[in-house]
Each structure stands twice: as structure tokens, then as C-alpha cells.
Amino acid sequence: MSELPIYPMLIAGQPVLAATSFEVINPATAAPFARAAAGDASHVEAAVAAARAAFPAWAARSDTERSRLIGVLAEVLQANMPELMRLVTLETGKPVDGLNHVGAGMEVGGAIAWTQVTSQLDLPVEVIQDNAEARVEVHRKPLGVVASITPWNWPLMIAIWHIMPALRAGNTVVLKPSELTPVTTARFVELANAVLPPGVLNLVMGAAGSEVGPAMTIHPGIDKIVFTGSTATGRKIMGNAAATLKRLTLELGGNDAGIVLPDVEVKAVAPKLFAAAFHNNGQTCACLKRLYVHESIYEALCAELLALAQAVKVGDGLDPACQLGPIQNRMQLEKVEAIAEAARRQGGQFLCGGERLPGSGYFYAPTIVAGLDEGSQLVDEEQFGPILPVIRYVDVDEVVVRANRNSNGLGGSIWTRDLDRAAALALRLECGTVWVNEHGAVQPDAPFGGIKQSGLGVEFGRHGLAEFTSIQTIKMMKA
Ligand code: NAD
């Protein structure tokens, strides 16, 4: 019998083990470092029942009280930051600090920041009409039980993005982390349950291919699903949710284009572009995934990016000197290898990388590929790994059309010193967020979400909070 620690589920305020458990792998060593309870549909039943039972009292609490408790959760995260950071590194491979300070410290620090900001958000009653004849008010009411399903790339931060606005708005939650990264989330839910009433925040876990996720998406006791993950899974969830008309927020894949105009200072923008593409090994939804560079600076920028790729330190994330860790899981590593092979076949010129790095973990060399265009897999599909296509363009108007010719629409960026021109180009990009002279930086008070097949709805700020409510209009006739 394994001596690895087993992380339990948490239902109605109680830790729950299951008949079996599954291994959680450290991608830096490819060896297990923990186990997690392997739940099934019966645990989904129990968790939904607990969340439904807790809902009326939680929804009836004053806004001030819910805001206060969420503020306490931010303090709990802060107090446990070193432990949570270590768990993030062990299960995701993410370095403690990381390229451009995007690492485990940012994941836990971001979780704290989002919790603090969400605790202060509110959705006041809106008065549409108030005259001698009538008063019309618009109220925001909680939906009921929210199911949160999270991916492996930012497991704690994304769980926080889901949970906090759901709770703030008065809903109760059943949370299911990725089978690849359940540990930090399980530890956080345990800590949070010392603060929250039993049943308000429940955790179920399932092994790979388990029935837990699908059981949540069809359960009639769940009113809304907030999901972050691949577009393929998002489609399945939307299909399953149709029978009970669940509300949905879907944050799905992206294939963000960055467009570099000829007026930039190449040496100054190169490190920012490199970090935007390679932080967390490219495993962030809003990483820069297609880099379009004007022909007049193409060679110079490629040379700068190559130098940065050759200097970056890849290794075990627990080593504070490392800037990039391993790819998070074997399947993703193999997917990146397959995309690299396709890029080779399709005529891509590998400026660097294109191969695994030695060691037992899932390490892959940062890879830059020149000479490809749309029509190649690396350009058309989300790579979600450390391999970036740098694409040459001639005409700015034409490149906007090329960038838009993709089924994804999460983010995009324009790089130029001409901010007026950037603002005009930004409006022409078909994506949920456009950054100018940066890429991928999200913040807790500004809405973020994808259009086209990158998702449905937004997260963060008041717009994101509103997605965890339904509107009730009250019209009172005075005469
Ligand atoms: P995934 O879709 O494989 O898994 C995500 C979650 O869904 C996991 O918890 C998984 O167990 C669960 N799941 C799988 N099948 C299910 C089903 N049939 N019903 C219910 N749940 C199911 O995604 P992933 O590989 O973990 O994450 C990578 C993807 O996530 C990338 O495409 C990335 O772009 C995307 N992503 C998007 C955002 C965003 O905000 N738009 C953020 C992070 C990641």
C-alpha cells in the first residue's frame, strides 16, 4: 500500500474518502507525490444535496456578512501561502517565481488578490423608473447551486475565479478540480471550510475518465456551470446542460494573435513578447500563441527571441533559479511533440528547440518556428505548450484579416508606439480582450472572456459577478 498522503473530498463540511484513490504526478519527476480520493456519481449526489441544503441560509445572509467572510478567505490564503505555493509547484510543475514572475507565487498571490477584490464587489438594486405612476427596480438574485469544473494549468487561481463570485452573489458551490491537479484545490477547500458554514463549498474529485464531471453537468440540482478548459469539453458540457437549461459560463481555448507593427523598438519589445508566449510554458489560455511580425523587422525580432529562448533556464520548479518548469502532463507533452512534427513536415524553420530535454520529467525545450503561415497546424490550432510560430506579414490591414480568420476569439495584442493606430486596430480584432504593448495580463476588476469558440460569458469585476445571478424586475404601481 502506498504511503503517499491521500487528499479527501469535502462534502457538507466533512472530509470524505472513497473506495479508491488515484495518483497525482509531479511532472518534474514523472513520479506520484500524492493521492486523491476517487469519487463517483454518488459523491456528486451527496455534494449537490449538501449545497442545496446550505443554499437558503447562505443566500439569506446579508451582503455585508458574505463580503466579510470572503475577506476572511483572502486572509486564510495569505496565511497559508508557502504551503499552497509548494503544492502548486509539485502538481503543476510551475516554478516558484518563474519567467516574468509568472509562477506559483503569482498563482497564490493572484488567488488572494481576486478574493480581496471580489469581496468588495456588489450589485446594487437598479432603479429604472421612479415617478408618480410607478417604481421599477431591478434586483440581482443568486441562482442556487453552482458547479465549478477547473483545468490543470492554473488550478488554484481558476478555482478562486469560479468560487468567489459564486459565493459573493449568494450561491453555494460544488467544485471539481482536474484529475491532474486536485491537490492545492483540495487543501484550499479544507481551509475554507473552517470559515464557511457546512455545505456552502463542497469538493468532489474523480480519476481520469470518471463519471464525476458528466454527472455534474446533467444533475437537475445544479443551476449553473462555470467551466474553464478545452473547447471540446466545453461543447460536451453545453450539450449536457441543455436538458435542464443550466446557466453557463465557459472559458475555453484560445489561439491569441499578437501583431507587431514596424515602428516598435525590437530590443525593448522582444522580452515582453517572449514572456507573453512562454510563461508557464505556454500553458495559459491567454498566452500569445501566434506572433505576426512586419517583414521590415522580422529577422531582427527572430534573432532577439532566439537569444531569449537560449538563455531561459528550464528545470524543476522547486529550484528557485528555474524560469520554466516541465509541461504539466505526458499527454500534453506528446501533443506538443506531434505539433512540432507537423510544423517540420509543413516546412517550418526551427530556430531553436523542437525536442524533449533530458531527465525523467516532462521537459521540452522552448521552441521558436519561423516560416509558417495559416494553413499549418501550429498556426491554426492552440498549441498550449512552449512552441511559438513567428509569422511574417507585409500589410497591416491584411494581417488583421488573417489574425481574425480563426475559430478562437479569446485575446489578441497590438505592439506599436502609435497608440491612436493601436486603438483603431484593437476594435477590428475579433476577440474578448485586446492588449496594447502587453499580452495576457488580466485583472480582477476588468471583464475577461472569449468570443467565437473561446467561450461564453465573462469573468471578473461586476460583469463577471452578474453572471452568478438572475435578474428579478419588480414593478410597483403607485396609483
Ligand atoms: P479539459 O477540457 O481536458 O478539462 C477541464 C476539466 O473538465 C477537468 O476538470 C476535466 O476533468 C473536466 N472534464 C473533462 N471531460 C468532462 C466532461 N465530459 N464533463 C464534465 N467535465 C469534464 O481541459 P484541460 O486540458 O484541463 O485545460 C486546458 C484547456 O483549457 C486549454 O484549451 C486552455 O486554453 C483552456 N483554458 C482556458 C482558460 C480561459 O480562461 N479561457 C483558462 C485556462 C485554460
Side-chain angles (χ1 to χ4, degrees):
M1 192 59 197
S2 156
E3 287 171 19
L4 297 173
I6 303 180
Y7 285 79
M9 294 179 277
L10 210 139
I11 299 173
Q14 297 300 317
V16 175
L17 287 169
T20 56
S21 61
F22 61 95
E23 285 181 342
V24 185
I25 306 286
N26 174 354
T29 60
F33 73 97
R35 300 187 70 88
D40 57 30
S42 73
H43 298 103
V44 174
E45 279 304 328
V48 174
R52 289 231 76 88
F55 173 64
W58 181 248
R61 288 205 182 206
S62 71
D63 241 25
T64 321
E65 178 60 1
R66 283 199 301 265
S67 165
R68 186 188 70 77
L69 284 173
I70 291 171
V72 176
L73 293 181
E75 289 165 17
V76 167
L77 281 163
Q78 183 81 57
N80 292 278
M81 196 166 175
E83 181 195 353
L84 293 169
M85 277 176 61
R86 186 177 161 79
L87 293 177
V88 165
T89 297
L90 285 173
E91 68 180 348
T92 65
K94 205 171 274 164
V96 177
D97 185 22
L99 181 65
N100 208 26
H101 308 297
V102 181
M106 176 183 269
E107 174 140 22
V108 182
I112 296 167
W114 255 266
T115 304
Q116 284 167 337
V117 170
T118 309
S119 84
Q120 299 303 317
L121 292 174
D122 62 356
L123 293 169
V125 175
E126 207 182 324
V127 178
I128 302 287
Q129 178 186 341
D130 192 16
N131 55 18
E133 186 196 347
R135 180 177 167 90
V136 179
E137 297 175 347
V138 177
H139 293 248
R140 293 273 177 181
K141 300 173 76 176
L143 297 162
V145 175
V146 171
S148 151
I149 302 178
T150 56
W152 48 258
N153 59 340
W154 290 90
L156 178 68
M157 184 126 86
I158 291 174
I160 295 291
W161 290 353
H162 292 182
I163 297 165
M164 295 307 168
L167 296 179
R168 178 72 190 84
N171 305 280
T172 55
V173 172
V174 177
L175 163 65
K176 189 202 90 61
S178 165
E179 55 277 12
L180 296 162
T181 53
V183 163
T184 320
T185 310
R187 178 66 180 128
F188 168 68
V189 171
E190 182 190 5
L191 292 165
N193 266 267
V195 174
L196 298 169
V200 168
L201 174 60
N202 306 276
L203 176 85
V204 286
M205 300 186 289
S210 87
E211 59 195 9
V212 169
M216 289 165 79
T217 61
I218 57 173
H219 200 295
I222 288 175
D223 302 283
K224 176 185 170 99
I225 301 171
V226 50
F227 168 75
T228 302
S230 63
T231 300
T233 306
R235 284 195 197 103
K236 286 187 202 162
I237 289 176
M238 198 169 180
N240 276 353
T244 45
L245 232 64
K246 294 188 199 319
R247 275 54 190 152
L248 292 173
T249 301
L250 303 176
E251 297 288 357
L252 309 177
N255 193 2
D256 289 13
I259 300 176
V260 187
L261 271 54
D263 69 345
V264 297
E265 185 164 347
V266 169
K267 270 196 185 311
V269 297
K272 296 179 190 169
L273 291 165
F274 183 78
F278 284 93
H279 79 249
N280 200 31
N281 263 329
Q283 302 168 119
T284 298
C285 52
C287 266
L288 201 173
K289 292 173 181 153
R290 293 178 284 157
L291 181 58
Y292 288 93
V293 180
H294 190 264
E295 59 171 355
S296 62
I297 52 168
Y298 187 83
E299 304 298 339
L301 188 51
C302 280
E304 289 295 324
L305 294 172
L306 169 61
L308 289 159
Q310 285 170 336
V312 78
K313 185 162 165 36
V314 184
D316 188 328
L318 290 175
D319 171 355
C322 281
Q323 295 169 292
L324 294 179
I327 289 180
Q328 197 281 326
N329 61 81
R330 183 181 298 280
M331 209 170 87
Q332 193 62 32
L333 173 63
E334 287 169 358
K335 187 181 147 192
V336 169
E337 287 184 309
I339 288 181
E341 276 320 304
R344 260 195 199 97
R345 278 197 312 276
Q346 291 169 330
Q349 300 146 27
F350 282 63
L351 304 185
C352 57
E355 60 191 4
R356 287 192 194 195
L357 292 172
S360 51
Y362 307 139
F363 294 102
Y364 195 85
T367 302
I368 297 174
V369 183
L372 289 177
D373 277 319
E374 298 82 30
S376 62
Q377 191 183 355
L378 178 57
V379 175
D380 291 350
E381 294 177 20
E382 181 186 42
Q383 65 276 57
F384 218 61
I387 173 166
L388 177 71
V390 186
I391 309 153
R392 189 189 296 264
Y393 77 86
V394 179
D395 179 70
V396 176
D397 287 319
E398 183 211 17
V399 82
V400 171
V401 176
R402 288 168 67 186
N404 285 340
R405 210 179 289 140
N406 194 278
S407 60
N408 294 284
L410 191 58
S413 58
I414 309 282
W415 301 74
T416 174
R417 285 188 284 192
D418 183 344
L419 292 186
D420 290 336
R421 192 170 189 203
L425 288 171
L427 285 171
R428 289 169 54 196
L429 280 184
E430 294 171 3
C431 51
T433 302
V434 182
W435 292 276
V436 175
N437 297 325
E438 69 169 13
H439 193 117
V442 293
Q443 58 190 67
D445 53 358
F448 172 71
I451 61 166
K452 302 204 268 188
Q453 297 197 25
S454 287
L456 207 62
V458 293
E459 298 188 274
F460 315 155
R462 293 188 56 216
H463 294 85
L465 183 60
E467 298 219 357
F468 291 91
T469 65
S470 59
I471 283 180
Q472 184 175 53
T473 305
I474 298 179
K475 179 168 186 178
M476 290 173 282
M477 297 307 293
K478 295 186 181 173

